[in-house]
């Protein structure tokens, strides 16, 4: 039996009026902003803050995003954005996101991030302390 994935964070979010388009639905680009907000919450959960993550010698940049919209979100909806570590590579990581309203998954997303040196912003393997912090949330692999 496979155990359910453990989220790194679950971030509550209420849709604001200005995030909606003329159809009254959250404008698609705003979902990327929600993912960005959740990514900073991941850093807060793992390191205490974004600045502390930088002090550990690592930062991340988005290399790829993929979103699947399953149901529309609207003004004043109460959402929860969950972040799950999918993959931890040598210089990159993949985080899966779910945006839920109540028990319904409204949006599924995946971001691939590349680790960069905070000083040079060039791709670099993260220090061991950063890898260990993320690795604690890797899915359990069954044989």
């Amino acid at each position: 039996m496979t155990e359910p994935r453990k989220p790194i964070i679950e971030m509550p979010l209420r849709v604001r009026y200005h995030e909606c388009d003329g159809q009254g639905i959250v404008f698609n680009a705003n979902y990327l902003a929600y993912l960005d907000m959740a990514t900073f919450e991941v850093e807060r959960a793992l390191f205490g803050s974004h600045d502390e993550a930088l002090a550990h010698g690592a930062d991340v940049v988005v290399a790829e995003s993929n979103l699947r919209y399953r149901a529309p979100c609207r003004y004043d909806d109460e959402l929860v954005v969950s972040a799950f570590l999918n993959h931890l590579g040598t210089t990159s990581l993949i985080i899966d996101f779910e945006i839920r309203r109540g028990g319904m998954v409204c949006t599924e997303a995946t971001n691939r991030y590349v680790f960069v040196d905070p000083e040079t912003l060039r791709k670099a393997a993260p220090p061991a302390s950063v890898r260990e912090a993320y690795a604690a949330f890797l899915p359990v692999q069954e044989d």
Side-chain angles (χ1 to χ4, degrees):
M1 177 179 208
T2 303
E3 292 189 27
R5 297 190 297 175
K6 178 182 176 186
I8 303 171
I9 58 99
E10 292 187 306
M11 179 187 80
L13 174 74
R14 184 181 297 269
V15 175
R16 298 168 293 186
Y17 183 80
H18 72 275
E19 296 167 341
C20 299
D21 60 20
Q23 297 167 321
I25 296 170
V26 172
F27 179 64
N28 60 64
N30 285 316
Y31 290 93
L32 290 170
Y34 298 164
L35 303 185
D36 196 51
M37 293 164 53
T39 301
F40 280 104
E41 292 302 317
V42 165
E43 288 184 333
R44 183 181 315 280
L46 297 181
F47 305 105
S49 70
H50 177 65
D51 288 339
E52 283 297 315
L54 295 177
H56 275 82
D59 198 0
V60 294
V61 295
V62 177
E64 180 180 352
S65 295
N66 185 310
L67 288 85
R68 176 171 284 173
Y69 305 101
R70 298 200 170 274
C73 296
R74 294 184 166 80
Y75 167 66
D76 213 31
D77 279 355
E78 292 182 25
L79 308 176
V80 174
V81 182
S82 300
F84 304 88
L85 185 60
N86 174 313
H87 174 78
L88 180 61
T90 305
T91 58
S92 67
L93 69 138
I94 297 172
I95 297 179
D96 294 335
F97 298 90
E98 288 181 353
I99 300 176
R100 294 184 318 278
R101 180 181 57 243
M104 176 189 291
V105 175
C106 299
T107 307
E108 296 172 320
T110 300
N111 275 356
R112 183 171 57 86
Y113 298 89
V114 173
F115 286 105
V116 296
D117 178 280
E119 298 295 320
T120 65
L121 299 182
R122 291 181 183 214
K123 182 167 81 168
S129 62
V130 172
R131 286 190 60 78
E132 290 169 11
Y134 280 102
F137 290 91
L138 278 171
V140 175
Q141 300 294 323
E142 294 192 20
D143 295 330

